[in-house]
């Protein structure tokens, strides 16, 4: 595991964007796994900027997002579909058909999840997966459990995660209680993983994820078993290590 320690959020975002950019430059038809949340926002900002300056070309890139709220329409400003378009896709030249996101309004959830897994397999697997980290150690919407999940599935979102995500809604009650998410198996199958973590409030969980026992109660701890993980984290997030 490679650890990149950065002074602040800006530097974390820049270092992460540089890693993503080098992936795209080396392999223009890269298959990227992407995350939502506050952490990767700065990184997406740099990528849009570099596209505008002609440094990056997303024409042949394919993306697969980690997760989506259940029962939320694409046009809803709280959907991850909306978030990704606003913060990345609308600012770059990726063709719409190369963007893959779970449909939170799918009638047959089981089919939607199985088709997503099959789609990733047909794409040749994910070359580089971007991850954020939840306060309870979740990655994507894989919450602490008694087992590690394999493929894309439906989950009940933890109370602590609902509370954390309430900052994107007017009221906590508005946060959806369920989501669809790639499984731990999907994430571990990616060629490379880029984990972004910032803020002192993540310091304790980051220490447990990186140095504690590998257990499904701390889902992110499984990353210790991946062959190619780069953690880009701010100084304050690393203060317990
Ligand atoms: C988002 C996702 C989540 C977030 C995590 C951290 O697609 O999968 O696991 O990465 O909840 O969120 P932030 O970055 O808002 O602290």
């Amino acid at each position: 595991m490679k650890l990149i320690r950065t002074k602040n959020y800006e530097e974390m975002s820049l270092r992460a964007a540089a890693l993503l950019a080098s992936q795209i430059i080396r392999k223009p038809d890269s298959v990227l796994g992407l995350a939502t949340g506050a952490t990767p926002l700065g990184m997406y900002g740099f990528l849009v900027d570099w596209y505008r300056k002609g440094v990056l070309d997303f024409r042949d890139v394919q993306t697969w997002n980690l997760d989506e709220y259940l029962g939320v329409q694409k046009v809803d400003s709280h959907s991850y579909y909306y978030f990704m378009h606003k913060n990345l896709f609308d600012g770059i030249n990726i063709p719409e058909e190369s963007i893959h996101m779970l449909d939170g309004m799918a009638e047959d959830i089981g089919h939607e999840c199985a088709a997503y897994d099959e789609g990733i397999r047909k794409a040749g697997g994910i070359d580089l997966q971007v991850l954020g980290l939840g306060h309870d150690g979740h990655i994507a919407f894989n919450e602490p459990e008694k087992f590690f999940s394999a493929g894309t599935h439906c989950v009940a979102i933890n109370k602590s995660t609902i509370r954390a995500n309430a900052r994107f809604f007017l009221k906590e009650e508005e946060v959806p209680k369920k989501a669809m998410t790639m499984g731990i198996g999907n994430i571990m199958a990616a060629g490379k993983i880029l984990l972004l973590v910032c803020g002192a409030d993540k310091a304790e969980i980051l220490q447990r994820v990186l140095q504690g026992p590998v257990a499904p109660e701390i889902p992110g701890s499984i990353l210790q078993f991946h062959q190619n993980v780069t953690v880009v984290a701010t100084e304050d997030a690393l203060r317990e290590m």
Side-chain angles (χ1 to χ4, degrees), residues 35-40 66-67 80 132-134 138-140 167 202:
T36 58
T39 313
L66 284 170
D67 39 22
Y80 286 173
L133 180 66
H138 72 240
I139 48 176
R167 69 205 135 121
K202 300 259 178 91

Side-chain angles (χ1 to χ4, degrees), residues 205-226:
I205 192 65
L206 183 58
Q207 189 277 331
R208 293 176 74 190
V209 161
L210 300 184
Q211 299 180 329
V214 173
E217 288 81 7
I218 307 285
S221 64
I222 192 76
L223 298 176
Q224 292 179 39
F225 289 164
H226 194 280

Side-chain angles (χ1 to χ4, degrees), residues 33 64-66 102 113-121 125-129 131 139-140 142 148-153 180-193 222-223 226:
W64 294 80
N65 259 78
L66 284 170
L102 286 154
C113 293
Y116 208 65
D117 288 346
E118 179 60 10
I120 295 172
R121 196 190 61 75
I126 289 169
D127 293 312
L128 190 155
Q129 176 67 59
L131 293 177
I139 48 176
N142 293 282
F148 289 115
S149 59
T152 304
H153 60 292
M180 272 185 283
T181 181
M182 277 192 206
I184 294 290
N186 299 106
I187 293 169
M188 290 298 281
K192 292 177 210 153
I193 292 179
I222 192 76
L223 298 176
H226 194 280

Side-chain angles (χ1 to χ4, degrees), residues 144-164:
E145 269 286 3
K146 296 261 174 296
F147 53 86
F148 289 115
S149 59
T152 304
H153 60 292
C154 180
V155 285
I157 305 171
N158 258 5
K159 282 221 169 69
S160 68
T161 305
I162 289 177
R163 218 169 298 130

